[in-house]
Amino acid sequence: MKHDAFDYEGIFPGRASRDRESAAPIEAWPTKGKLKHFDDPEYVPAPAPAPLAQTAQKREPSSSLLTSAGNWIRRRGHTLSFACLFLFSIILYLRPYELIPALSSLTSMAFYTGIVTLTVYFGTQLSLEGNLTARPKEINLIFLLAAAALLSMPMADSPADAWKTFSEMLLKTLVIFVVFVNVVRTELRMKMLLLLVLGVSIYLSISAINDYRAGVFGFGEMETRRIAGRIKGLFENSNDLALHLVTMAPIAVALGISSRNPLKKLAYFGVTGLMVAAVTVTFSRGGFIGLVAATFVLVRRLGKKNRVMTIGALVFAVILFVGFAPGAFSGRISTIFNFGADVTGSASQRTEVLKRSFWVMLRYPVFGVGIGNFRHKSPRNLETHNSYTQVGAELGIAAMVVYILFLVHPIRRMRLIEKQSDPKGDQRWYYYLSIGLQASLVGFMFSSFFGAVAYQWYVYYLVGYAVCLHRLHIMKFPPADGFARERWEAPFSKKTQKLIGGDTVTGTEPAQV
């Protein structure tokens, strides 16, 4: 297993290890910003440990208090930043100025809340870590994606359109993603965000089902058959609504299985059924394919521990799905393979645009045609309806590779948590949530093949959950063997050492987050 693919310089404090023979505490020895294994060419051995009595004499009486304060700051820091992020997420998902008439004039509240969030975050981050952000691989990848977007602008057909797309979509998601990764550093914060988005999903699902039953339609070329999301913005398009629900359903399943409370299990599984029903009434072909892909991942990962129960649950779910699916749903899904059966012509139109996006990507392989500019090369001014070719055609082939790596790398993180966690012990929540996030990311990867959503918020929150869950798991359950610990843990930053009095405490237990 390769552990060097995951670096968290500046996020995790170095942890002490104990000498197996003498049980004397020794401190981690940093080399070039991270620890090296003994077989690494740059490996530098740690200095010999000082006797316990001598170590005790060097410490000031208040050192333990300073250290405790430093540990608390590292683990609980960014409290105000998280409060601002949580408020921003509420505005992003719920758009209260649409739901509450008294707030109808405050349509810019998300923008101003974002400014406040950034202001609080930057000040806190500089004081805690001495830098603007930690640098896990996902942060580096999204910076590369932003650089590709900027490089695509000078040669775009419409630089104005390129700047508008970058500033109003990609830049916002990039900045909030950076805040997300650095701020969500406790289980409570993670659970609060998950419950928020699940609550929004419940509202959207109930509204979608009620609108379908009441015959309230109004989206796209099939106005007599397709619903629109009750909340505008991210969810107004029925395909985008289906994509969002597809990514949330596996998380609900994971939380249901991880819970030991029967009532909570029943509630989470009920929410899952509600979201699946809502995906069905959207008549989204991309949503259906993403749902199948996510289900396959859940069955395969969960079935390793209890194959009989997993297969039984899958059969039961399929029976319910077939029994309750609308009569026209099967006809809609059949158009995936039979374009001639699609009376609206949308399937053949999307195929035509997909072929054009491939041609544009090959014609402009280095910098693309400019972010947000594909429609200038497209028939009838249409979008790509495919997130991968959207990035490839607008930003270049290299940027598309970066985007794919941004989606795949968090899945590797979740697989590692799954392998290292015990589903029956204290790591139960981490184990099942890592599987749920794997299924969510795979569901997005399949559904986004039918939607131009590469710059939208959906996947950036998912990747943020994965990165932060990985971070929390390492902090609470550090790897047991020395090789894994040395590869996965980074030493104290200079800023952190100042906070704890310039001295690291050896022999301490792993921080409980």
Side-chain angles (χ1 to χ4, degrees), residues 30 491-504:
F492 284 101
S493 66
K494 294 181 179 179
K495 204 74 174 179
T496 302
Q497 292 184 25
K498 290 181 180 179
L499 287 172
I500 62 177
D503 187 21
T504 55

Side-chain angles (χ1 to χ4, degrees), residues 308-496:
V308 175
M309 181 177 294
T310 303
I311 294 177
L314 176 63
V315 172
F316 179 71
V318 170
I319 293 174
L320 287 179
F321 182 83
V322 173
F324 288 96
F329 183 76
S330 58
R332 172 73 172 172
I333 297 303
S334 67
T335 61
I336 297 174
F337 311 100
N338 182 13
F339 295 166
D342 186 4
V343 295
T344 66
S346 65
S348 58
Q349 182 184 83
R350 293 194 177 201
T351 302
E352 179 186 1
V353 175
L354 180 62
K355 292 179 180 178
R356 177 62 66 89
S357 65
F358 273 110
W359 181 89
V360 172
M361 182 170 59
L362 296 176
R363 177 66 177 80
Y364 304 91
V366 180
F367 298 113
V369 296
I371 182 172
N373 273 249
F374 172 77
R375 59 189 182 87
H376 297 296
K377 304 289 186 181
S378 171
R380 294 179 293 280
N381 210 34
L382 296 173
E383 296 287 349
T384 60
H385 293 293
N386 183 297
S387 63
Y388 305 99
T389 59
Q390 178 188 17
V391 176
E394 295 184 352
L395 308 183
I397 295 177
M400 184 180 69
V401 174
V402 169
Y403 176 72
I404 294 173
L405 290 175
F406 180 73
L407 300 179
V408 172
H409 201 263
I411 297 178
R412 296 178 59 195
R413 295 186 187 280
M414 298 301 96
R415 289 292 301 276
L416 198 55
I417 293 178
E418 178 189 352
K419 291 178 181 179
Q420 293 183 343
S421 301
D422 179 11
K424 297 181 181 180
D426 295 338
Q427 304 181 53
R428 180 184 181 92
W429 184 73
Y430 290 90
Y431 175 83
Y432 287 111
L433 187 55
S434 68
I435 293 177
L437 285 171
Q438 288 179 61
S440 295
L441 287 164
V442 170
F444 175 87
M445 292 173 71
F446 276 82
S447 293
S448 64
F449 197 84
F450 303 90
V453 293
Y455 314 135
Q456 295 284 2
W457 297 94
Y458 310 104
V459 72
Y460 298 94
Y461 266 72
L462 286 178
V463 174
Y465 294 135
V467 174
C468 293
L469 184 71
H470 185 209
R471 172 192 183 181
L472 293 174
H473 185 263
I474 294 175
M475 292 179 69
K476 192 169 185 178
F477 305 101
D481 65 281
F483 174 80
R485 292 182 72 122
E486 289 186 355
R487 281 293 189 181
W488 285 63
E489 295 182 358
F492 284 101
S493 66
K494 294 181 179 179
K495 204 74 174 179
T496 302

Side-chain angles (χ1 to χ4, degrees), residues 6 16 20 47 76 115 127 133 159 186 238 263 268 289 305 317 319 341 348 418 423 426 431 487:
F6 305 96
R20 295 182 178 179
R76 309 294 181 183
I115 294 298
S127 65
T133 178
T186 68
S238 59
L263 294 179
Y268 281 122
I289 293 175
K305 301 295 182 181
I319 293 174
S348 58
E418 178 189 352
D426 295 338
Y431 175 83
R487 281 293 189 181

